[in-house]
Amino acid sequence: MMDRPLLVKNLLWRAENVFGRHPIVSCREGAGDNEITYGELTAMVRRYAAVLAELGVVPGTRVGSLAWNTARHLAAYFAVPMLGAVLHTVNQRLPAEHLVHTIARAGDEVLLVDRDLLPIVERIREALPGVRHVVVFGPRPTDPVSGVLYMDELAAGVAEFDAFPELDERAPAGICFTSGTTGMPKGVVYSHRSTVLHALALCVAGGPEVRTDRSYLLATQMSHVNGWGLPHAAALQGARLVLPGPHPAPRDHLRAISTWHPSVLVGSPTVMAMIRDEYEHDPGGYDLSSVRRLWLGGQAPLAAQARWWGERGVEVTNGWGMTEASPTGTFSSVSDSQGRPLPLVEIRVVDPDGRELARDGRTPGELEIRSPWVTGSYLDGQSPESFREGWFRTGDVATISHDGQMAIRDRAKDMIKSGGEWISSIELENHLTQHPCVVEAAVIGVPDERWLERPAAWVVLAGEVTDDELREYVAASYPRYWAPDEFLRVEEIPKTSVGKLDKVAMRRRHAELLTETTR
Ligand code: AMP
């Protein structure tokens, strides 16, 4: 067989030569929506590559992006790795300290930045001596910022780049940092090979099955794990992408859905809940009738939400994944399990000594995973303890059934141990959100003199209900000791920069409340 390397440029080859006339939509703020084809995207990629080459970007150079979901960002997704350089998609929502840490650790020499995110870069630029160039996407404005370059101006002065190198498929193509719920973010490096294999796996039946005849609203950020790999898979299949542009608010998503009629909405349950709430609050002539499917991921789906979309004829699917796994490991065509591993993904559950546990759907253990698109180490060799005998230890607690159905039971560190018994915070959260008065719930373990730990629930309510009623509701389905001792009524539950329940912040706040009341 021919020993052809698996390279990111092969993904774009198909977009250009098979689907060159297929449209991609990039919804822009203010100036109206802009529809381009894959053929036009390829021309942008070639120009961006020429610009970057002129700026001294060579194989191995790290290029950071601080950008929204736009065609420009998509062009960078291809231009940077096709040059042999490495695209580090920076999560712009991180606190300044984490931004500096991740950009410095990645070793970014060039930053590609959306205009409205430039102030973030300006504030930290002094702390980033390794950054040689800051290039702002779009045209030079009438009031340009000194010390930065403007992409459209540079791209107008170059010829399309055509000498993309043949690379080793194991060469790095991208970097993303974990969201840092448990400390400083850790870097994960994706290779050309892992990116291509992951994109292929997203296209096959049994997974999200990215298809030419489906169109996708990408409501998850392209800075988060390669936009879940969808941009790469969509290029391979010539699927239409609807990219919501800068600062998308729920009503921007609704407008994009009504105008461009995507058949699949892709994003976290939190984003989808915001879209639903906005729609409920003000249906305002929005049209959801094109939507056939939700592709959720990043956290457990909310039962009430699945019901709401289900009533509208929408299929609710759910992918389990991690930054470390590119991200997709398993996929489920229903919302109440995490589903089966994608082809070429192996999963198992183990006890604390690393012994494999039964695949009986009942025995929980730490989930371990291995696959050509799961990282074998962190950048700079951080956290070696996360890897054991060729497997990556996810820190999730799961069960696996005989037919490969995996269900997340908890994050190892989110399990609550009360009087020697485990209580699953995730199960409690799922159960509480099925109560008609509870919109959202998050459960943490709080220190307790007698039981060592007890569950405390934070709830966002949509109706009148007492603590005792909620406790009875829990006790009707679970052992009584599972019923949270406290219910803290809040307007909003703290979330991390990527929209996960921020249990670290919740625990901190709980501890503060405790000292305030005992003082
Ligand atoms: P991140 O690297 O930020 O994507 O976070 C990965 C973690 O999110 C996983 O280890 C899980 O704890 C959680 N997660 C991701 N997808 C799901 C899902 N579909 N259901 C439940 N938890 C999930």
Side-chain angles (χ1 to χ4, degrees):
M1 290 296 116
M2 292 185 185
D3 189 13
R4 299 285 302 148
L6 306 176
L7 300 177
V8 168
K9 71 174 177 180
N10 306 133
L11 303 175
L12 195 67
W13 187 94
R14 193 160 138 97
E16 180 182 20
N17 294 290
V18 180
F19 306 112
R21 294 187 184 170
H22 282 217
I24 313 162
V25 184
S26 178
C27 303
R28 277 198 308 204
E29 211 172 28
D33 294 348
N34 173 25
E35 193 172 29
I36 66 164
T37 63
Y38 275 107
E40 287 163 331
L41 176 75
T42 311
M44 272 171 85
V45 170
R46 293 185 197 286
R47 285 193 184 276
Y48 284 14
V51 166
L52 292 168
E54 285 205 354
L55 293 178
V57 171
V58 293
T61 308
R62 311 285 175 84
V63 176
S65 65
L66 274 97
W68 301 101
N69 295 6
T70 64
R72 299 181 293 259
H73 201 183
L74 187 61
Y77 254 53
F78 291 97
V80 173
M82 282 168 65
L83 282 171
V86 190
L87 182 69
H88 165 209
T89 49
V90 182
N91 175 1
Q92 70 267 17
R93 295 200 183 87
L94 292 177
E97 184 198 359
H98 287 197
L99 283 173
V100 171
H101 170 85
T102 55
I103 294 171
R105 273 276 170 129
D108 298 337
E109 293 180 36
V110 177
L111 292 181
L112 304 174
V113 186
D114 268 339
R115 198 165 136 187
D116 63 315
L117 300 175
L118 185 59
I120 298 178
V121 175
E122 291 290 296
R123 278 197 290 276
I124 56 173
R125 193 158 176 187
E126 283 207 344
L128 296 168
V131 173
R132 293 187 288 114
H133 299 291
V134 174
V135 182
V136 177
F137 282 122
R140 171 183 283 271
T142 44
D143 52 344
V145 175
S146 71
V148 311
L149 302 164
Y150 289 91
M151 184 58 106
D152 285 6
E153 192 173 55
L154 299 176
V158 293
E160 288 185 13
F161 192 90
D162 207 17
F164 292 108
E166 283 291 282
L167 302 161
D168 182 335
E169 65 177 16
R170 290 177 177 77
I175 299 181
C176 184
F177 281 77
T178 61
S179 42
T181 37
T182 53
M184 270 295 182
K186 289 178 281 203
V188 176
V189 180
Y190 310 110
S191 65
H192 282 261
R193 176 184 153 85
S194 70
T195 307
V196 170
L197 288 172
H198 180 259
L200 261 181
L202 293 187
C203 299
V204 304
E209 208 184 336
V210 174
R211 287 193 343 210
T212 313
D213 61 352
R214 289 181 176 155
S215 55
Y216 297 83
L217 175 79
L218 188 57
T220 195
Q221 284 303 308
M222 283 170 68
S223 56
H224 187 222
V225 216
N226 294 325
W228 296 358
L230 176 59
H232 297 122
L236 203 50
Q237 295 291 60
R240 188 151 65 88
L241 283 177
V242 178
L243 301 174
H247 284 291
R251 64 178 175 283
D252 298 317
H253 288 312
L254 284 167
R255 191 183 59 76
I257 296 167
S258 307
T259 313
W260 298 102
H261 314 297
S263 53
V264 187
L265 310 185
V266 185
S268 68
T270 309
V271 172
M272 296 305 158
M274 282 157 61
I275 294 175
R276 176 204 58 192
D277 292 349
E278 179 66 26
Y279 182 84
E280 291 262 274
H281 169 72
D282 175 18
Y286 295 125
D287 176 12
L288 297 180
S289 63
S290 66
V291 183
R292 297 271 169 279
R293 209 177 219 234
L294 292 194
W295 168 359
L296 302 175
Q299 66 192 72
L302 307 163
Q305 177 177 67
R307 262 201 313 275
W308 191 89
W309 288 97
E311 282 160 11
R312 281 158 186 78
V314 176
E315 194 189 353
V316 179
T317 67
N318 168 35
W320 169 87
M322 302 183 78
T323 307
E324 292 86 340
S326 296
T328 321
T330 67
F331 190 80
S332 171
S333 56
V334 291
S335 64
D336 52 6
S337 115
Q338 276 66 31
R340 294 184 167 136
L342 296 188
L344 305 184
V345 171
E346 292 168 75
I347 53 172
R348 66 177 190 181
V349 282
V350 298
D351 73 10
D353 298 323
R355 277 189 300 260
E356 191 168 344
L357 295 166
R359 291 169 190 264
D360 58 6
R362 279 183 293 117
T363 313
E366 185 178 5
L367 179 68
E368 295 192 337
I369 180 170
R370 68 180 179 192
S371 160
W373 54 87
V374 170
T375 190
S377 62
Y378 286 109
L379 192 66
D380 304 332
Q382 279 178 286
S383 282
E385 68 283 0
S386 299
F387 304 89
R388 176 160 56 193
E389 294 162 9
W391 292 81
F392 173 70
R393 306 169 63 181
T394 64
D396 283 330
V397 175
T399 56
I400 302 176
S401 65
H402 68 94
D403 58 354
Q405 290 284 354
M406 188 271 282
I408 296 285
R409 303 293 176 188
D410 223 316
R411 268 310 282 177
K413 50 191 162 298
D414 282 347
M415 287 283 263
I416 298 161
K417 201 167 195 184
S418 187
E421 297 285 351
W422 287 107
I423 297 174
S424 164
S425 54
I426 288 187
E427 276 197 43
L428 276 178
E429 286 157 15
N430 288 345
H431 186 65
L432 282 167
T433 49
Q434 288 178 38
H435 188 283
C437 295
V438 179
V439 179
E440 214 181 343
V443 176
I444 51 171
V446 295
D448 182 86
E449 271 183 17
R450 181 152 178 218
W451 306 105
L452 288 179
E453 242 189 341
R454 287 293 303 148
W458 289 37
V459 284
V460 179
L461 294 180
E464 290 287 325
V465 62
T466 65
D467 289 9
D468 280 340
E469 286 165 352
L470 285 174
R471 266 192 287 273
E472 282 312 314
Y473 173 71
V474 172
S477 301
Y478 292 97
R480 183 158 288 278
Y481 69 83
W482 275 47
D485 289 357
E486 302 172 61
F487 289 90
L488 195 67
R489 290 156 162 74
V490 290
E491 297 265 301
E492 210 182 317
I493 290 177
K495 304 271 164 51
T496 67
S497 60
V498 293
K500 292 180 193 300
L501 300 175
D502 190 347
K503 300 229 167 155
V504 178
M506 287 171 61
R507 288 194 192 100
R508 200 183 310 125
R509 182 73 197 120
H510 229 94
E512 283 165 13
L513 287 175
L514 207 67
T515 16
E516 275 166 31
T517 46
T518 50
R519 206 179 277 149

